Amino acid sequence: MSTSPYLSQAFDYSSVELKSPSTEIRLLQLYPSHPHESDGEKPDTGPIWDDSLVCHLYTTPIDNPENFKALSYVWGDDTKTKSITVVGSTPTGKTPGSGAVSSQRTSVIRITESLSTALRSLRGRRQDITLWIDQICINQADNDEKGQQVGLMGAVYSRATQVLVWLGPAADGSDALMDAFKSIGQGARDFGIESYLTRERYHLIEPMVSDEQPDDPATKGLQELLDSTAEAFAELLKDMTFKNWISRPYFSRAWIVQEFCLCADTVFVCGATKTLPVELIMFGLLMLKLAIGNAKRSNYTALLLPLLPLQRLQEVNQEPMAQLLSCRAIRQKHGGEPLYKLLRKCFVGHDTRAREHRDRVFALLGLAADADRLGIRPDYGVSDACILTRTARALIEMNGRVDTLCYSQFPKAIDHLPSWVPDWRSNLRPSFYTVNEVTNPHLFAASGKDSVLEAVAPTNEEEDQKHALGLRGWFVDVIEKIAEGDGWTDLGWDHIRYRHFFTQVDDLWKCSMEKNDPIHGDDTTATRRRKEEARWRVPIGDVYWTVEEGSQRASTDVAVYHGHTLKNIQYFERINQITPVDNYDRENDTSDWQERHRNGEVGQNYHDSMVVMKDKRPFLTQLGYLGMGPLEAQPGDAVVIFCGGQIPFVVRPLGPPPDGFQARQQSIYSFVGEAYCDGVMDGELIVKEKQTFFLS
């Protein structure tokens, strides 16, 4: 078919009207590239690039739709340089057949080049395929319809017979990588790896990976599979085939999360011929990570330095599919996660993108287990700021998620957003305090163990309160001093930066020790002893991390490891400053340091524990509290605790406080950020009178 028989007028969506956009959808019947070929004349493989795309649109009820496949893809450039011809104008039902196309009324829908490429690869030579595609099936120019149809996307992807994940054309060795995933993934499935992927049985994998019982049949089987995995993937990692594959734009798109997770039958499609179930990718990726973790023990030299650069291994650990597969597994097995956890999983520390900021929320509603209760609906008739504010208010006031405030970070990506509202942009900084609430108890309880959120409606409709968040809580103190410079931003071992940071903490700590306010009780000796501990608790936020135990509240033993870290700094200062003429025995000192490092005597875990305090700045309050706060904090800011919150926050009073700062009972503040404040993390201040804080 050529394009000549078809008219070029734009398609009129009213010709296939959705009588009820909240209960109906349009489907696209994509015609084959060679409808007149007889069976057996040519194999049904490969796209026909010089043919027009031709389709028919019709409607179907979402509660009982006709069978269809849903496409999950990347729009690409907004410029719609390609087109698809639409034949027929009946609102419901398929056309009599693609052979009669030339005699029917036709029109054109402009589409992106990315979608055009996908459709040319996905269509058959002689058979129609019925699809749902957002770019075509939704009238993108009608915001009312768009909002209602986006609200149905969860149902669309749940009710599709199959979801086609289009990764793009074959390139950069993608065929070879898909073959490796297919081979290893199927091998893992045949082994029965899925039976071990439960909370009760997952621990059984490690002894088999470690080859603890070489004669055990299951261990033998897994060891053989690991050998095959190392052989299959080594070269694909080394030549960056794997990196190029996971760097495809699809994996950074916000909308893919629900599209990827909702349908039981979801397949990756890469190029014209490579199609693979998601589960085989998941199993293959798991085996690859197990093989890398076992490389030294099993002597997989192809996965070790120097044959495989460290950067290639890091790419496997940082691949973007892990959160996708996690979301999918939870959805398929347990029905989904709350919106707050999905937002955090997608946008904190991940480069997840959306065309509009509101889509960062809308893209997850179909997957969120609490979407209906929160009452958030897709609405393209209001601003991004309005949608994000509604979302933040619902998460905080209805779900009690005070920790939503941890992700209100500066500078904001959009204008006119209240200070307390997260923009959920890509790569938000992780909170210094994150706990898996399903499996682990909270480490902190700044507002008390049984405290719940107490929200307060604004008392008037003045501009400074109209979008305010009112929360009850406790005033801690005013920040008096804050460390200068860029805060704690370096994660590498740089003894100069470490020395500078510890000097800043120690200077503020000495000032704290000189203050006489009884912030830890009336017992002067006990208060002084507890204030001494702040010197080593503050740099790690009072959370000590080890490989064996994970993150735990720091015990008094950690003071020793803090001392080891300081000695480690002194060691590096010494070997970098002393010259040969000083008769310094560098070799013996280095050997001694290496021995102490092996014995855990150089503060390795302590400075590893400091990672969570990245982008925090030490501060001292007027009463003598020592803590770590956001980079944006300033002297005069207040440290506060909100009811239902596990950690304190820093806020900034708007205007001079009347009649003394502490006496201010209902005040307007600008939100600044999360904080660790030593001595108030376990409900010590809940005996004080509560106040109301309005965040602007």
Side-chain angles (χ1 to χ4, degrees):
M1 280 172 215
S2 64
T3 58
S4 57
Y6 307 122
L7 303 177
S8 59
Q9 71 264 27
F11 175 73
D12 182 0
Y13 276 90
S14 65
S15 66
V16 189
E17 182 181 4
L18 293 172
K19 296 179 180 178
S20 175
S22 62
T23 61
E24 290 182 316
I25 60 172
R26 296 184 184 91
L27 292 179
L28 179 152
Q29 182 184 358
L30 182 64
Y31 292 143
S33 57
H34 288 69
H36 302 293
E37 283 185 350
S38 60
D39 289 342
E41 187 172 336
K42 287 185 179 181
D44 188 14
T45 59
I48 306 301
W49 298 105
D50 56 352
D51 285 347
S52 298
L53 292 168
V54 185
C55 73
H56 170 64
L57 286 177
Y58 63 98
T59 64
T60 187
I62 188 61
D63 287 340
N64 187 28
E66 294 194 21
N67 288 343
F68 69 95
K69 298 181 180 182
L71 183 63
S72 180
Y73 68 110
V74 175
W75 275 47
D77 192 332
D78 286 348
T79 305
K80 295 182 177 180
T81 59
K82 303 297 180 180
S83 64
I84 185 169
T85 298
V86 185
V87 300
S89 58
T90 55
T92 60
K94 295 186 178 182
T95 61
S98 54
V101 168
S102 60
S103 64
Q104 300 177 43
R105 187 162 66 85
T106 63
S107 53
V108 169
I109 296 177
R110 306 297 295 181
I111 60 176
T112 62
E113 183 173 358
S114 171
L115 178 56
S116 176
T117 301
L119 293 179
R120 291 178 183 280
S121 292
L122 293 170
R123 67 177 172 175
R125 293 182 67 96
R126 296 180 299 280
Q127 295 295 319
D128 298 347
I129 179 173
T130 302
L131 299 167
W132 185 90
I133 306 170
D134 57 353
Q135 194 176 142
I136 297 175
C137 296
I138 298 176
N139 182 0
Q140 299 293 329
D142 184 339
N143 279 338
D144 289 338
E145 177 185 305
K146 184 178 177 182
Q148 293 182 73
Q149 289 283 281
V150 167
L152 288 181
M153 285 181 66
V156 168
Y157 283 91
S158 295
R159 294 187 171 106
T161 57
Q162 188 178 63
V163 170
L164 305 173
V165 172
W166 170 249
L167 296 180
D172 302 318
S174 60
D175 281 356
L177 184 67
M178 292 284 279
D179 287 341
F181 272 125
K182 181 178 181 179
S183 173
I184 300 304
Q186 187 61 53
R189 171 173 277 174
D190 295 341
F191 170 78
I193 194 67
E194 193 168 11
S195 67
Y196 293 93
L197 302 183
T198 65
R199 186 178 300 173
E200 295 75 21
R201 301 195 73 215
Y202 192 80
H203 71 280
L204 299 176
I205 295 178
E206 178 56 32
M208 291 189 290
V209 172
S210 303
D211 203 16
E212 292 182 7
Q213 300 180 26
D215 295 330
D216 173 57
T219 298
K220 285 183 178 180
L222 187 59
Q223 287 293 323
E224 291 174 0
L225 186 55
L226 289 173
D227 292 343
S228 299
T229 302
E231 182 179 350
F233 282 99
E235 194 61 32
L236 297 172
L237 294 176
K238 185 177 180 180
D239 66 8
M240 298 179 63
T241 297
F242 180 84
K243 180 183 189 315
N244 290 329
W245 195 78
I246 63 174
S247 299
R248 289 182 177 236
Y250 180 85
F251 294 111
S252 62
R253 180 174 168 262
W255 280 106
I256 69 167
V257 182
Q258 70 173 1
E259 298 169 3
F260 184 87
C261 297
L262 290 171
C263 182
D265 185 4
T266 299
V267 297
F268 281 111
V269 184
C270 189
T273 61
K274 295 298 181 183
T275 300
L276 202 59
V278 164
E279 285 68 28
L280 294 190
I281 298 283
M282 179 177 70
F283 297 153
L285 189 61
L286 172 61
M287 297 312 302
L288 175 58
K289 292 182 177 180
L290 290 176
I292 290 173
N294 194 50
K296 288 185 178 180
R297 186 185 301 116
S298 296
N299 197 29
Y300 300 144
T301 56
L303 295 180
L304 295 171
L305 295 172
L307 293 181
L308 193 66
L310 182 60
Q311 185 177 355
R312 302 285 82 84
L313 297 176
Q314 291 173 337
E315 288 160 1
V316 178
N317 291 329
Q318 297 167 0
E319 53 81 20
M321 287 187 290
Q323 76 260 28
L324 271 180
L325 294 168
S326 170
C327 288
R328 178 176 171 81
I330 293 173
R331 170 68 186 195
Q332 294 294 319
K333 294 179 180 179
H334 306 293
E337 298 175 274
L339 179 60
Y340 168 76
K341 289 189 176 181
L342 290 170
L343 287 166
R344 193 175 68 185
K345 186 175 290 187
C346 289
F347 300 112
V348 177
H350 296 291
D351 186 18
T352 309
R353 304 169 191 174
R355 295 162 59 84
E356 301 180 49
H357 263 79
R358 72 193 80 189
D359 284 343
R360 296 175 180 275
V361 176
F362 297 165
L364 299 175
L365 291 180
L367 194 59
D370 56 352
D372 289 340
R373 188 172 62 81
L374 291 174
I376 303 169
R377 299 286 183 269
D379 186 349
Y380 288 90
V382 297
S383 68
D384 287 337
C386 181
I387 294 298
L388 292 171
T389 301
R390 289 178 187 174
T391 301
R393 191 179 297 280
L395 294 176
I396 295 171
E397 294 184 349
M398 297 183 65
N399 279 4
R401 299 294 333 198
V402 181
D403 44 349
T404 300
L405 297 172
C406 296
Y407 304 105
S408 179
Q409 299 172 9
F410 300 90
K412 298 293 179 71
I414 60 175
D415 297 329
H416 311 300
L417 198 63
S419 65
W420 55 276
V421 175
D423 55 16
W424 298 113
R425 65 184 183 275
S426 294
N427 288 313
L428 286 170
R429 297 186 301 273
S431 170
F432 81 92
Y433 177 64
T434 303
V435 168
N436 185 338
E437 297 167 324
V438 175
T439 58
N440 299 315
H442 274 287
L443 300 179
F444 297 129
S447 65
K449 292 184 179 180
D450 300 319
S451 177
V452 295
L453 177 115
E454 296 181 26
V456 180
T459 56
N460 58 57
E461 288 299 315
E462 294 180 7
E463 189 61 31
D464 64 350
Q465 287 200 26
K466 188 163 58 176
H467 301 295
L469 174 70
L471 297 176
R472 295 280 288 167
W474 297 269
F475 170 78
V476 178
D477 199 7
V478 176
I479 293 178
E480 179 179 84
K481 294 181 180 180
I482 195 157
E484 297 180 355
D486 298 330
W488 180 237
T489 58
D490 187 75
L491 297 183
W493 177 250
D494 179 345
H495 69 279
I496 297 176
R497 182 174 289 275
Y498 270 78
R499 167 60 72 190
H500 178 66
F501 172 72
F502 281 117
T503 298
Q504 289 182 320
V505 173
D506 282 359
D507 288 345
L508 295 177
W509 171 71
K510 291 173 184 176
C511 292
S512 171
M513 295 300 293
E514 293 173 357
K515 294 179 179 290
N516 297 318
D517 295 279
I519 59 175
H520 297 296
D522 294 332
D523 186 330
T524 303
T525 301
T527 291
R528 184 171 184 82
R529 184 166 57 247
R530 182 61 185 81
K531 287 174 71 173
E532 288 176 348
E533 295 179 2
R535 185 189 184 206
W536 53 265
R537 292 187 186 274
V538 166
I540 59 173
D542 205 17
V543 177
Y544 190 64
W545 178 89
T546 63
V547 174
E548 297 78 14
E549 301 294 334
S551 295
Q552 304 287 335
R553 283 294 290 271
S555 66
T556 53
D557 295 338
V558 176
V560 177
Y561 307 136
H562 170 263
H564 290 163
T565 302
L566 297 181
K567 290 180 180 178
N568 199 20
I569 294 171
Q570 293 170 356
Y571 162 77
F572 275 99
E573 289 177 336
R574 190 163 64 248
I575 66 172
N576 279 278
Q577 292 176 1
I578 297 181
T579 61
V581 297
D582 294 316
N583 296 319
Y584 172 60
D585 191 348
R586 184 187 300 271
E587 182 176 345
N588 286 338
D589 200 355
T590 300
S591 176
D592 175 66
W593 180 86
Q594 291 173 340
E595 178 64 25
R596 290 188 295 114
H597 186 278
R598 284 192 293 269
N599 294 335
E601 298 176 359
V602 292
Q604 179 71 35
N605 288 334
Y606 186 89
H607 68 69
D608 285 349
S609 300
M610 292 169 63
V611 168
V612 297
M613 284 302 167
K614 182 177 184 293
D615 296 321
K616 292 287 189 293
R617 191 195 302 269
F619 67 77
L620 175 69
T621 73
Q622 292 177 352
L623 294 175
Y625 289 109
L626 194 64
M628 294 283 283
L631 295 177
E632 296 80 8
Q634 301 174 2
D637 291 346
V639 180
V640 300
I641 296 169
F642 299 125
C643 296
Q646 310 298 329
I647 62 174
F649 295 95
V650 175
V651 297
R652 182 168 299 150
L654 299 181
D659 303 322
F661 192 93
Q662 296 189 49
R664 198 175 188 187
Q665 292 299 302
Q666 291 196 6
S667 307
I668 301 293
Y669 301 85
S670 175
F671 180 78
V672 180
E674 67 177 12
Y676 169 80
C677 187
D678 192 62
V680 304
M681 304 299 291
D682 297 293
E684 292 90 342
L685 297 189
I686 64 174
V687 295
K688 296 174 62 176
E689 183 180 355
K690 293 179 186 176
Q691 296 182 208
T692 299
F693 304 89
F694 287 107
L695 304 180
S696 67

